[in-house]
Amino acid sequence: MHSHKEGAGPACVCLTLLSHFSTMKLFTSLVFCSLVLGVSSVGWFEFMGQAYDGAKDMWRAYSDMREANYKNSDKYFHARGNYDAAKRGPGGVWAAEVISDFREAYPRVTDLLKHGDSGHGLADSMADQEANRWGRSGKDPKHFRPPGLPDKY
């Protein structure tokens, strides 16, 4: 039985490969990466379903963050996306970790492509990763919820 530990490893290698592929190659790479990561606690199809649903949870949290555009809410949405994805199971945890690590490893690329330079540095990235880990661990994301954020979120 294999286990995935935080830090560099197969997920980072897979992430690097995934960032350069078409949608079909992306799906094929996800399948391959899930096998490399040693999916053993759940079946392969179940793991992939959890990963897909977890990725949707992460996207929903990101979209809500952009829509809310609320001061000091960034960490809450990081924690919430990871929390929701992790509730899906091992595949959701894996998807949340890969997406979170990519976003924090390549913020300049994603910021410039979509929203311009965020100007956030290493300290902000480290705080984001702490919120990501908090959510993935199953702790309540409301710990990071800023006062006054609309109930919709």
Side-chain angles (χ1 to χ4, degrees), residues 9-21 26 29-30 32-34 36-37 94 98:
C12 292
V13 172
C14 291
L15 180 59
T16 302
L17 294 172
L18 295 177
S19 65
H20 301 290
F21 288 14
L26 173 65
S29 297
L30 280 172
F32 176 74
C33 289
S34 69
V36 170
L37 292 173
W94 176 80
V98 168

Side-chain angles (χ1 to χ4, degrees), residues 74-112:
D74 181 48
K75 306 306 177 263
Y76 166 71
F77 287 108
H78 277 267
R80 196 194 83 188
N82 277 268
Y83 176 83
D84 291 346
K87 288 191 318 187
R88 304 284 183 174
V93 171
W94 176 80
E97 186 171 7
V98 168
I99 291 167
S100 295
D101 288 349
F102 178 81
R103 176 68 178 125
E104 296 309 320
Y106 301 101
R108 296 290 177 232
V109 173
T110 55
D111 286 348
L112 291 173

